[in-house]
Amino acid sequence: MHILPDLKEIENEFSIEDGLVVIGVHSAKFINEKDSKNILAAVQRYNISHPVVNDNSSDMWQKCEVNCWPTLLLLGPNANPLIMLLGEGNKEDLRMYIKNALNYYKSRKEISNHSLPVKSAFHLLPELKGPLLFPGKITNFADNDGNDLIAISDTGNHRILIVTNDGSIIQQIGGTAAGLKDGNFRNAQFNAPQGLVFQNKDILFVADTENHAIRKVDLKNNKVETLVGNGIQGHDHLGGEKGKAQLISSPWDLSLYKTPAGKDVLIIAMAGTHQIWAYFIENTEWWKSVQYKGGICRVIAGSGREENRNNQYPHAAAFAQPSGLALCKKNKEVYIADSESSSIRRLSLIDGKVTAVVGGDRNPNNLFAFGDRDGKLCDAKLQHVLGLAISSDENYLYVTDTYNHKIKKVDIAENKICTLQITNTFTSADKSVNLFNEPAGLCVSNANTLLVADTNNHCIKILEMDSNNCIKDVKTMELKLDTTDSPAIDKSKYEIFPVKSINLSCKGGKLIIQVNLNFLGGLKLSEEAPQKWFVDLPNASWSCVPVSGTSTENVDLVLSVPKLATTTASIDLVFNLITCTADSCYPKSFILRQLIQTSDSGVTSFNSQLNVDLYVDKIQLSKS
């Protein structure tokens, strides 16, 4: 997925009207990835705006003689192959070839400038999905009274939610846009955050995956701080730099280990370089009495080769996109969900030895040993496992077997895994139907309860367990607002245009809003000036994708409206534009206020198209 930011940049530079059409071809490795509905979920999760073809039998892969992921193939206007680029890191070469090819074919008048009717995949999101969008990870901190403080990575909405046991949202951190920005909770920005771990009730660490950064959230002082990374993907396989100077690559999960000397060390599953790293929070003595200064981030296990290689020497071992961590304090071990080898591994925090637990294959180069089979060691088979959690007694691991849509349990003493069974008294759903859809994270709330980030179902599932570790009930956590958010902006300077009210169901629903801006009377956007818009939502129980932007050509919004306590609500689409004529500039700041009513007879899905005419001296809504 590291190529997606490069493609997004290319698409922003060369539009369809310029003559470039990007088409993704998905030739799957895993069985689960051959299903079109799962590919759709991935397109939505990674905000892919171009069409994607499901090459589920690898016909195009074979006919084009592709032999690695990713491969880029540039075709001319007559489908004539121009260049094939293999692997990552080819952005500048691709840009050069595209620019020269467009110039050449335009000179021959073989390039058209028409648009294509491409719609956002977000339009296909479920109507009543709730406020979360592809939640990735979940963790908790229990106070002295046994109450949980729960942190959720709302990955698709680029935010962290802090909630209580009953689902009350007490803090929203970030979510105004995808970005890398420190500061207070309203101004801070994340980019597809994943792993989370509490240091205490006031400090939360976050693996900010697509920012290639580690962030620290101070819940007491409402402050976000970047500890490692600066938003640029690193390719360092050693580390050792301090703080933001150390570039890292796609950190996916976190765990916190306290050394025998009482020093906290942050363990990092570094999926991008196939390694395990550590961030030393304070001056620490590590293996073989090596001293590390506080603020240093470096590799502690893994060569960087993408393999399933176990070894008594940590730097001779190798991983394949490690994506989940769970700490066993009793054994001084950290367990690793090694997603691309579909295995679970253990790393000794005493001497660094890496050993197998379950899944994968004895051949370290075989990354295709996946399936769905309970058993011991490599006789067991998993499919792209992403999440781990240790049981309260630290005798078992709970596992999200992500692409098998199951929750499993590992006896860590026996290296044996089994699927969690459903009891005959199960009350919440038909047992024959999958309860989960690519679950990616989980945590143990108490001895009998698991909290699962059910990623593609856009929700948190609460699993009640019986004394035999069988699932006796599953409920969906209903997220609701605990406090009223303070006003985000001063709206007194904006001209406000109320939009005709929409009647939605009192259960909530999906609202699609498309805004067309028409510049008339010689008015146009100033080409050099920044253009901004964003959606101001009532509170954290609402969500919108996208929630902000800088392009006014295609403002296409998909909102999830929660179950409302009141019968009326409104959302504000806030525009800050710089327009001009041939001789003057005219700032335009205005709000489109979409009014919403709810009733038992209301719909659960509604499409609205707003046309706005902008003149030098006025703004008006026109009929669609």
Side-chain angles (χ1 to χ4, degrees):
M1 291 301 175
H2 290 151
I3 198 172
L4 292 178
D6 290 351
L7 288 179
K8 180 70 70 174
E9 192 174 319
I10 292 291
E11 290 176 275
N12 289 338
E13 183 175 349
F14 305 100
S15 68
I16 292 174
E17 291 76 14
D18 292 330
L20 177 71
V21 178
V22 176
I23 299 175
V25 178
H26 185 74
S27 304
K29 167 185 173 180
F30 293 102
I31 295 171
N32 182 70
E33 293 177 335
K34 295 183 178 184
D35 191 323
S36 291
K37 72 175 186 298
N38 296 330
I39 297 173
L40 170 62
V43 168
Q44 295 167 335
R45 184 162 64 246
Y46 292 103
N47 194 17
I48 296 171
S49 57
H50 55 256
V52 176
V53 175
N54 182 7
D55 183 27
N56 61 357
S57 57
S58 297
D59 288 341
M60 295 184 70
W61 174 284
Q62 295 168 13
K63 290 177 181 178
C64 294
E65 299 182 354
V66 175
N67 56 35
C68 77
W69 296 283
T71 294
L72 297 166
L73 176 61
L74 185 63
L75 302 177
N78 299 309
N80 49 309
L82 301 178
I83 188 71
M84 180 180 279
L85 300 172
L86 309 182
E88 299 173 358
N90 291 305
K91 181 178 68 175
E92 294 307 320
D93 287 342
L94 181 63
R95 175 184 279 118
M96 178 190 69
Y97 285 119
I98 291 171
K99 185 176 181 179
N100 289 332
L102 286 174
N103 288 338
Y104 173 75
Y105 286 111
K106 282 182 178 179
S107 70
R108 295 168 59 91
K109 302 188 183 304
E110 295 184 41
I111 297 289
S112 64
N113 61 358
H114 63 75
S115 60
L116 293 175
V118 179
K119 288 188 176 182
S120 168
F122 290 130
H123 285 209
L124 301 176
L125 286 170
E127 293 178 359
L128 298 172
K129 74 170 187 61
L132 300 179
L133 184 66
F134 299 107
K137 300 289 185 181
I138 184 168
T139 193
N140 62 320
F141 181 86
D143 63 20
N144 294 331
D145 297 323
N147 297 314
D148 276 347
L149 191 64
I150 300 165
I152 302 168
S153 278
D154 189 8
T155 307
N157 286 319
H158 311 290
R159 65 181 180 175
I160 309 298
L161 294 182
I162 307 297
V163 307
T164 59
N165 295 75
D166 66 354
S168 296
I169 302 170
I170 56 176
Q171 292 280 14
Q172 172 180 275
I173 309 162
T176 57
L180 178 59
K181 188 176 181 181
D182 291 342
N184 63 45
F185 287 178
R186 187 178 294 279
N187 294 330
Q189 294 177 351
F190 300 87
N191 193 350
Q194 289 281 348
L196 306 159
V197 65
F198 281 100
Q199 185 178 28
N200 52 52
K201 66 181 179 61
D202 295 325
I203 300 298
L204 176 72
F205 296 107
V206 179
D208 195 2
T209 303
E210 292 193 20
N211 273 329
H212 312 289
I214 304 298
R215 316 289 291 280
K216 176 183 175 182
V217 177
D218 186 333
L219 296 169
K220 185 176 181 180
N221 296 305
N222 288 18
K223 178 182 174 184
V224 176
E225 174 188 1
T226 301
L227 300 179
V228 182
N230 64 5
I232 298 173
Q233 183 186 357
H235 302 282
D236 185 356
H237 289 83
L238 295 176
E241 297 293 333
K242 193 170 184 178
K244 298 178 185 178
Q246 180 58 60
L247 301 186
I248 58 177
S249 180
S250 298
W252 213 275
D253 204 8
L254 303 173
S255 186
L256 196 66
Y257 171 62
K258 191 175 289 292
T259 70
K263 306 289 188 178
D264 283 339
V265 178
L266 191 65
I267 310 298
I268 307 167
M270 202 70 75
T273 57
H274 314 294
Q275 294 173 307
I276 306 300
W277 285 50
Y279 173 75
F280 297 94
I281 298 171
E282 50 190 326
N283 294 342
T284 304
E285 182 179 297
W286 197 238
W287 299 328
K288 297 183 179 180
S289 301
V290 177
Q291 300 287 332
Y292 292 103
K293 291 184 178 180
I296 292 293
C297 189
R298 61 158 296 132
V299 65
I300 59 170
S303 64
R305 293 186 295 271
E306 189 176 10
E307 298 174 335
N308 176 20
R309 187 177 298 278
N310 300 304
N311 202 287
Q312 62 180 330
Y313 299 107
H315 295 291
F319 302 92
Q321 287 188 23
S323 302
L325 298 174
L327 178 70
C328 179
K329 298 176 185 177
K330 180 171 64 176
N331 297 343
K332 295 183 175 58
E333 296 170 334
V334 65
Y335 290 84
I336 300 155
D338 203 34
S339 64
E340 282 297 305
S341 68
S342 296
S343 69
I344 298 171
R345 328 269 292 280
R346 66 163 61 83
L347 168 66
S348 170
L349 295 174
I350 298 173
D351 58 12
K353 183 179 181 180
V354 178
T355 54
V357 181
V358 292
D361 190 74
R362 289 184 178 87
N363 177 358
N365 295 311
N366 182 9
L367 301 182
F368 286 78
F370 56 84
D372 184 7
R373 186 170 69 214
D374 293 347
K376 295 185 68 172
L377 292 169
C378 62
D379 288 335
K381 290 292 177 276
L382 308 166
Q383 189 179 181
H384 200 72
V385 56
L386 288 179
L388 301 175
I390 197 78
S391 64
S392 299
D393 60 10
E394 297 197 332
N395 291 327
Y396 301 98
L397 275 177
Y398 294 106
V399 180
T400 58
D401 191 0
T402 304
Y403 279 3
N404 285 324
H405 316 288
K406 292 180 178 180
I407 308 300
K408 299 183 177 182
K409 183 184 71 171
V410 177
D411 183 327
I412 60 177
E414 298 290 332
N415 293 332
K416 185 176 181 179
I417 191 169
C418 64
T419 303
L420 290 186
Q421 300 300 312
I422 299 172
T423 67
N424 291 329
T425 59
F426 184 64
T427 58
S428 294
D430 186 342
K431 297 178 191 178
S432 65
V433 178
N434 280 338
L435 294 175
F436 310 102
N437 191 347
E438 294 192 15
L442 77 171
C443 66
V444 177
S445 178
N446 58 54
N448 298 313
T449 305
L450 298 179
L451 302 178
V452 178
D454 195 5
T455 303
N456 285 7
N457 280 328
H458 312 287
C459 67
I460 303 301
K461 296 277 178 65
I462 304 170
L463 277 61
E464 296 292 339
M465 316 292 292
D466 66 14
S467 58
N468 296 316
N469 265 307
C470 292
I471 301 172
K472 67 177 183 181
D473 199 9
V474 178
K475 298 177 182 177
T476 298
M477 180 181 284
E478 184 179 342
L479 296 175
K480 49 190 177 294
L481 193 67
D482 181 61
T483 57
T484 302
D485 291 356
S486 58
I489 57 171
D490 178 9
K491 298 179 181 178
S492 60
K493 68 175 183 177
Y494 291 87
E495 190 173 2
I496 299 176
F497 297 90
V499 180
K500 184 180 178 181
S501 184
I502 295 170
N503 185 23
L504 287 179
S505 169
C506 56
K507 298 178 182 179
K510 178 173 69 174
L511 176 57
I512 298 173
I513 301 178
Q514 295 172 284
V515 181
N516 300 316
L517 300 181
N518 307 308
F519 298 92
L520 304 171
L523 193 70
K524 63 180 182 179
L525 287 172
S526 178
E527 293 182 2
E528 302 300 324
Q531 315 294 343
K532 296 180 180 179
W533 61 264
F534 64 92
V535 181
D536 189 29
L537 298 170
N539 56 60
S541 65
W542 297 60
S543 67
C544 177
V545 284
V547 74
S548 62
T550 56
S551 172
T552 61
E553 290 185 6
N554 185 27
V555 181
D556 188 356
L557 312 173
V558 180
L559 295 101
S560 292
V561 180
K563 181 179 179 181
L564 298 177
T566 61
T567 57
T568 60
S570 66
I571 57 170
D572 285 350
L573 282 59
V574 184
F575 289 83
N576 291 296
L577 308 179
I578 304 296
T579 64
C580 64
T581 58
D583 53 7
S584 300
C585 287
Y586 300 90
K588 300 285 185 181
S589 295
F590 61 96
I591 292 173
L592 304 180
R593 178 163 291 168
Q594 178 63 66
L595 306 175
I596 295 172
Q597 290 183 325
T598 63
S599 68
D600 292 336
S601 61
V603 298
T604 56
S605 181
F606 191 88
N607 286 35
S608 174
Q609 182 168 309
L610 306 179
N611 293 313
V612 183
D613 295 337
L614 292 94
Y615 301 85
V616 169
D617 57 347
K618 64 179 179 179
I619 301 172
Q620 64 183 31
L621 287 174
S622 59
K623 293 183 179 180
S624 59

